[in-house]
Amino acid sequence: MSTVATTEPAITTRGTRASIRGRLQDALPKIVLAPSFVITIIFVYGFIVWTAYLSFTNSKTFPSYALTGARAYQRLWRWTFESDPPSSWYTSITNMAIFGFLYIGICLVLGLFLAILLDQKIRGESVLRPIFLYPMALSFIVTGVAWKWFLDPGLGLEQTLHHFGWTSFHFDWIKNKDFVIYTVVIAGVWQASGFVMAMFLAGLRGIDGEIMKAAQIDGASPFQLYRRIVIPLLRPIFLSAFIVLAHMAIKSYDLVVALTSGGPGGSAWLPSNFMYEYTFKRNEMAVGSASAIIMLMTISAIIVPYLYSELKEKAR
Amino acid sequence: MNKFLSSAAIAVVMMAGLSAARAADVKEVQMLHWWTSGGEAAALNVLKQDLSKEGFAWKDVPVAGGGGDAAMTALKAMVAAGTYPTASQMLGYTVLDYAQAGVMGDLTETAKKEGWDKSVPAALQKFSVYDGKWVAAPVNVHSVNWLWINKAVMDKIGGTQPKTFDELIALLDKAKAAGVIPLALGGQNWQEATMFDSIVLSTGGPEFYKKAFNDLDDESLKSDTMKKSFDNLATIIKYVDPNFSGRDWNLATAMVIKGDALVQVMGDWAKGEFVAAKKTPDTDFLCYRFPGTDGSVVYNSDMFGMFNVPDDRKAAQVALATATLSKSFQSAFNVVKGSVPARTDVPDTDFDACGKKGIADLKAANEGGTLFGSLAQGYGAPPAIANAYKDVVSKFVHGQIKTSDEAVKQLVQAIDDAR
């Protein structure tokens, strides 16, 4: 995959119709892939290099190309370790840790749980399945706005329960700087857990019934059955679900904006919000680029070894 | 990952911009703006008609997303691609940024002919003239240091116009005792900082405001007066309802219009909302300067930045600029928008009481040298600094920064970082 294939001279002195055709057929996949490959190289890897370069300049509103050293990184470093009270950047990365951990964790657990329940050959499964899956069809913006209204103490849940007479009920996380990030988790989990459920359900259906029967004959309880046999067999699904959820967590800029507009004093920011704000709204393109590069490096540090070990296992 | 997404977004916007600009017609004014709400759109229609009388067609450059941020991103992409619109709505230091990048046109000839340098306040010229050349046509002047008060509530609690900060607090106390939300505020950083602009001016006086927020003088930023300003902010923020965080400014205005809240501290675009709700000044609502800021005007201004278009499209641009600064358009537009004309020689006959007061105040402030750029609105300092300032104020309001000592330290540090 490292070079773009070019067709070799098609007609040689001894060339026959058949060999041209044969060669063409061999090269066809490469020819078809080449444009998208080139586009990927330029628009993904090219822009990574460009971003990395910009992070060492003092670009403000527009990119500037004079290198000025690692000043942007120094600022991020100081904002990470030496600023008290916490800087926006520090808030962003701690939020990312909280959100990523809870969002992926709860989605996996809840999705698996729902899938196991649905897998009990219950009636009406074909109705329940789309109900759980449906939130995935909504965009994060819609999810965000709907949950914003639902969680707003003046409009949604709290107000409604007050109307019904439960006036001591109190739920203002969305307006609270310390808890606002958890409302993002709630909305995110609501959106994605059905999708994870569908993935697990497909996995469960793919497990050979013979193994289950054999285990049951051996006297395994349902709990043991799932713990010792089914869940280990679902390992590849866990990997796929993890990858999908991780990338959704990292890019969930829109959810934060629609749900919290950044939260009180910017307390719901994720690194993606930080990057966008600094690059495009605050005209500090160098700092924005540096943050993007740090995000990329962090993700690589987690995903690459994980993928590597998983793929190696599969190859064996 | 996000970087790729945003790069892709830029590319898409760029293409949208390109295709828009490519349709360029010599007899056409291409205009990038985000005035899409009812009143604003109606006001822009006046300009469109003026131009069509002279034979120029109007073409809005489409900007997905509506808000000013999306428009500015689109503009950035268009300029990077080298296809300029005839003009774009722009704010403050953005004009200077683009002028510095050498993409703005030159309107000096028209300006001389029309006498702009005499009629437009010097403070605005700081943003519309770069390197001796006119690069933008100011459309209006908004001022920020206003109180908007519901008259019915005011009568009910028996309040009078507050002349000092302490009187304002006493008034808010009265409203609180009467069971009304005293202060309507939207907890977005620009709204909090906009209110803080007024508080600083009130606490420290005009000289101090200028030194701290226009000249960014370190001593003033660190001073006890600044600490006192933050203390005052802490005092006033106690009168906000608990549900204020994240609220849009027009929802806060609606609270005052409906009488749920007594007062909002906001720029005069809030008046546009009152007018749209068919309210009249002095009978339904009251407009006062923020106590202690009488005689000074903290402003921002909408401008039409004029780009360096090819010669054959210049005529359309000149026509646009001339029409923008014509007295008739300035009056018609600003009556609707709530702001005041960007030239001081426009008659105030069509304006309501608040508008008349605004025009008189602007004139006086211009002559007395007390017309200051709002830091919160990006007219006091470049955007990086303005945003750093908004961050600190917002963190103070929402309790991430706990004391005024800490706030001042953070403010100095943040502004220093952003320089």
Side-chain angles (χ1 to χ4, degrees), chain B residues 29-45:
Chain B
V29 176
Q30 290 183 353
M31 183 74 194
L32 194 152
H33 65 93
W34 57 92
W35 279 331
T36 45
S37 84
E40 293 169 341
L44 263 191
N45 258 333

Side-chain angles (χ1 to χ4, degrees), chain A residues 48 51 61-62 75 78-79 84-85 88 152-154 175 177 250 264-265 267 272 280-284 295, chain B residues 2-4 6 10 69 76 97-98 243 245 383-384 387 391 394-395 398-401 406 410 413 417-418:
Chain A
I48 292 180
T51 307
T61 313
F62 298 105
R75 282 172 68 182
R78 187 156 50 73
W79 287 344
D84 179 52
S88 305
D152 189 308
K175 305 278 179 185
K177 69 181 164 59
I250 289 156
S267 53
S272 48
F280 298 110
K281 286 168 86 174
R282 307 198 163 199
N283 296 345
E284 298 215 49
M295 281 161 68
Chain B
N2 286 283
K3 193 65 199 175
F4 317 154
S6 54
I10 288 194
D69 290 331
K76 215 180 271 185
D97 269 358
Y98 280 87
N243 198 18
S245 159
N387 280 308
D391 262 0
S394 187
K395 286 195 167 135
H398 292 282
Q400 279 112 314
I401 296 174
E406 189 57 51
Q410 289 286 318
Q413 173 75 63
D417 267 345

